[in-house]
Every structure is written in C-alpha cells, then in structure tokens.
Amino acid sequence: MSTKSNKAKLGKPVQPLAADYDEVLTGMVELLDAARRASARVVNSLMTATYWETGRRIVESEQRGEKRAHYGEELIVRLSVDLTKRFGRGYSERNLEQMRLFYVTWQIPQTPSAKLGLSVPAAIPQTVSAESGHPRRAEIPDTVHRSRR
C-alpha cells in the first residue's frame, strides 16, 4: 500500500498553495493568451507585407522582360519550383499569381512630394546658434573640458 506523503519527488515537503494562487494562475493565463494574440497579429502583418513585396518583385521583374506575358509565365513557374524546394508549401504557381495580383490591386501610391520630384534638401539648414560660429563641444580643447569636472 502506498501512503500519501507531503514530500515532492525531489524529497522536499509540499507547501500548501497560497490563497491567491488562482489569481496568480489567472494573471499568467491572461498574459500568455495576450502574448499569443499579439504574436499572431505581428506574424500576420509580416506575412502580408512579405506577400505584397513578393508580388511587387514579380511585377517589376516582368516589366523588365522583353516578352512580358511569356516571361511572366516562365518566371512564376520557375519561382514556384525553386521557392517550394527551399521553403515547402505555399509557393504554388497559383499562390505566386495571387501575390502578384495582391501587389497590382493594392499598390501604395506615391507621396505628393515624390510625384512632384521634390526631394529632401542635401544639407539641413543650420540653426542661428550654429551659424554664429560658437564652437561645438568637440572643438573645445580638452583642458577646458577637464576644468569643468
């Protein structure tokens, strides 16, 4: 006959559970559930961006080809074979075509400044204090730095 012991498998006495154990457990379950939901959202977001970018690269590659329609078909077939070998399921010709269509359907428009050909200035304008000739800290001799300490 075996009798119950207050010792765990490691030989330590088993302590009675704290009164707030249910609260601790509930809090941990909520934390882990929230982390799983958040990670699923991040993964979904990354996969969506990856599929869009895959479609963009297919379209841009097709547009460089001389015989667009024929080259596009060959490109999809070859990518499907090579990506499936490397990454497994998910890169069938149909899926790659869907990624291409995703990009074509949901292109991100250029900003108005990009459409007008405006760009960021080559040099950022200086502040009045910078233009006044006041030496920067890096230009002050080390002896001055030491005397301030």
Side-chain angles (χ1 to χ4, degrees):
M1 278 179 123
S2 67
T3 60
K4 275 193 168 180
S5 170
N6 279 344
K7 291 188 176 184
K9 289 182 182 180
L10 298 176
K12 295 180 182 178
V14 176
Q15 299 295 321
L17 294 176
D20 64 343
Y21 174 78
D22 289 336
E23 289 177 35
V24 172
L25 177 62
T26 300
M28 287 185 166
V29 167
E30 289 171 358
L31 173 68
L32 293 170
D33 283 342
R36 286 181 175 178
R37 283 190 304 273
S39 63
R41 281 191 305 270
V42 169
V43 168
N44 287 341
S45 178
L46 285 171
M47 292 310 298
T48 299
T50 300
Y51 294 152
W52 186 89
E53 179 63 19
T54 300
R56 184 188 71 77
R57 291 179 183 202
I58 290 169
V59 168
E60 286 189 359
S61 183
E62 287 174 341
Q63 290 176 351
R64 277 180 274 186
E66 292 175 21
K67 299 176 182 174
R68 279 191 188 169
H70 185 64
Y71 176 75
E73 290 172 19
E74 288 177 5
L75 177 67
I76 297 280
V77 170
R78 189 155 181 200
L79 281 172
S80 176
V81 169
D82 291 339
L83 292 173
T84 300
K85 278 183 192 174
R86 175 100 186 228
F87 297 105
R89 294 179 0 173
Y91 299 96
S92 66
E93 292 175 36
R94 177 172 163 72
N95 282 354
L96 290 172
E97 191 59 48
Q98 291 294 322
M99 291 175 205
R100 182 189 169 287
L101 185 60
F102 179 44
Y103 169 75
V104 170
T105 305
W106 293 97
Q107 286 191 19
I108 299 171
Q110 283 187 317
T111 61
S113 60
K115 287 181 182 177
L116 295 173
L118 302 176
S119 63
V120 177
I124 298 173
Q126 293 296 312
T127 62
V128 175
S129 61
E131 292 174 351
S132 69
H134 183 3
R136 290 182 225 127
R137 181 168 171 84
E139 296 170 348
I140 299 173
D142 284 338
T143 55
V144 175
H145 290 299
R146 285 189 204 121
S147 66
R148 290 184 183 171
R149 291 181 190 165

